[in-house]
Amino acid sequence: MKIKILCCLLVVGLLLTGCSGDKGAQDNTSAQPEDGISAEDSKTDDEGEDYILTFTAKTVEGEEITSDIFANSKLTMMNVWATYCNPCLQEMPDLGEIAASYDKAEFQMVGIISDVMEGDDVEYAKALIEHTKADYPHLVLSESLYFNLVNGVDAVPTTFFVNQSGVVLGYVVGAQSKETWEEIISDILEQNQ
């Protein structure tokens, strides 16, 4: 078990060394912020089926959260960030404002702290969350979150959009402006009425 955890930490460390420093940096998919994320941009498995995200993790407060959280809202934005990532921290105040501006049945925000694993000390991450006023649930990295979502992340922040059924609709790599996020969210909600 210790070897498995050590290997996970090593892999996470290697994957997360590329904090995306450019506002508006994009991945190589067709999901561009200015166009939103359409159904054609959805992340699918090798057989063309929708990818349904499942996980169990704990918040920084110790509350257990599962993928059942997706049923609570039409759209969930899952922002993968790291405590060392300045672009992540710079966009978190805007993300907090966005999260507060929606009815939870319509839209919810969830943060995933990619460099804090279950069992780690969360006090520094909690202080960053409080300082940035990112008042939405933040999950520490669990084994299921790592293997089912975060292991494919090459840079932080990376933000995933998930519908009410747990289907991953798409993702955006890099920090965005508040206006860009609002446009993306609005477009996805409109497309998925």
Side-chain angles (χ1 to χ4, degrees):
M1 184 64 172
K2 287 182 182 179
I3 292 175
K4 186 176 183 180
I5 291 171
L6 184 59
C7 288
C8 284
L9 287 172
L10 178 61
V11 171
V12 169
L14 290 173
L15 287 174
L16 298 177
T17 57
C19 179
S20 175
D22 297 327
K23 276 266 191 196
Q26 296 300 308
D27 64 347
N28 292 327
T29 69
S30 57
Q32 300 295 323
E34 58 272 5
D35 298 330
I37 299 175
S38 68
E40 296 83 42
D41 299 323
S42 299
K43 182 179 180 181
T44 58
D45 67 17
D46 294 338
E47 298 173 8
E49 297 294 318
D50 290 335
Y51 180 74
I52 298 174
L53 176 59
T54 59
F55 71 89
T56 300
K58 290 186 178 176
T59 66
V60 291
E61 283 80 28
E63 177 188 357
E64 186 169 284
I65 302 286
T66 70
S67 45
D68 293 341
I69 193 173
F70 300 132
N72 299 337
S73 188
K74 289 180 184 174
L75 181 65
T76 301
M77 182 173 164
M78 300 189 79
N79 179 257
V80 181
W81 64 280
T83 59
Y84 60 82
C85 173
N86 285 332
C88 299
L89 299 172
Q90 289 171 352
E91 77 173 348
M92 284 170 64
D94 289 342
L95 297 181
E97 289 176 14
I98 292 168
S101 70
Y102 280 90
D103 181 315
K104 296 272 191 252
E106 187 78 8
F107 172 82
Q108 66 183 338
M109 179 89 61
V110 176
I112 300 172
I113 312 165
S114 61
D115 62 332
V116 178
M117 296 190 68
E118 280 186 0
D120 288 350
D121 183 7
V122 298
E123 292 309 310
Y124 181 61
K126 286 171 86 171
L128 291 172
I129 293 164
E130 185 177 326
H131 176 73
T132 59
K133 298 180 174 56
D135 189 24
Y136 47 88
H138 291 269
L139 306 176
V140 295
L141 196 59
S142 66
E143 192 172 303
S144 63
L145 261 179
Y146 172 75
F147 286 110
N148 295 336
L149 186 70
V150 178
N151 72 339
V153 171
D154 292 328
V156 289
T158 294
T159 303
F160 294 88
F161 293 91
V162 184
N163 72 12
Q164 205 162 16
S165 301
V167 174
V168 177
L169 301 173
Y171 60 93
V172 176
V173 175
Q176 306 297 320
S177 68
K178 182 179 180 182
E179 295 76 23
T180 300
W181 281 131
E182 288 171 335
E183 186 177 318
I184 291 170
I185 293 163
S186 177
D187 288 348
I188 296 172
L189 285 168
E190 189 176 302
Q191 291 172 12
N192 293 286
Q193 291 284 0

